[in-house]
Amino acid sequence: MLFASHEFKTLLVDERDDRVHVKLNRPEVRNAIDQAMVDELHAICSVLEREPRILILSGTEANGKGIFASGADIAQLRERRREDALAGINSTIFNRIAQLPMPVIAALDGFALGGGAELAYASDFRIATETVKIGQPETNLGIMAAAGATWRLKELVGEPLAKEILLAGRILNAEEALAARLITEIHPAGQLIDAAHALADRIAAQDPLAVRITKSVFHTPREVHPVIDTIAQGILFESEAKFDRMQAFLDKKKDSRQNK
């Protein structure tokens, strides 16, 4: 077990051979992201960087209602000063999550606001329930969304909608988020985690090395393509999985023809 020796206070961790499910677990404050949670997410990343697994992120219920994360902990945020902002406390962990070797799935229920929304943007996949509310209320609090929303959100939904969310405080419901492709699936609350595992199953059925390299190449700057694509493909062309999987495909195709 990867995390058998870890004791988490703000996270619940469930491990499988090919994935790790991490639940944000501060229900008393609607899973607000505080320094302790940031530190524990760094610990998760430290392990997954060494031992790559698919990561599923979700929240725990608060007051009987599903919730992902209501944002940063306002009590802590109220006391932070310029040097804290320059340290990039949340942006650093969200960038680290975005750069994990294997894909990250955010399973969103209820509020995904502020830092909670930015954590979702840093994930590779976002699926949600019908009750999800996602957006950036920071300007109403006299600050800005500085942990990735100002650039990730524009890439995800386009400039006009991103400006509505960032500058006018628009909060998207599930149907609006789906229409904007900010999320890709809507599920009943009781089926959300099963849906996240079903997506993880589809990813796990692929060759892990091919998935890791494809994710890495996908996020490289435009100017390094197509050179990086060619180099990455050269690495994969020499992998045993490539030969085994292609031979299995050819054998299956041959058997299919013979059985006709």
Side-chain angles (χ1 to χ4, degrees), residues 3-18:
F3 298 98
S5 62
H6 291 72
E7 292 185 6
F8 295 107
K9 295 182 179 179
T10 71
L11 307 174
L12 298 175
V13 180
D14 176 38
E15 299 181 51
R16 298 187 187 182
D17 289 342
D18 58 5

Side-chain angles (χ1 to χ4, degrees), residues 103-126:
V104 180
I105 301 167
L108 311 176
D109 192 10
F111 291 123
L113 300 174
E118 291 179 298
L119 174 56
Y121 306 154
S123 303
D124 298 289
F125 301 91
R126 286 161 298 280

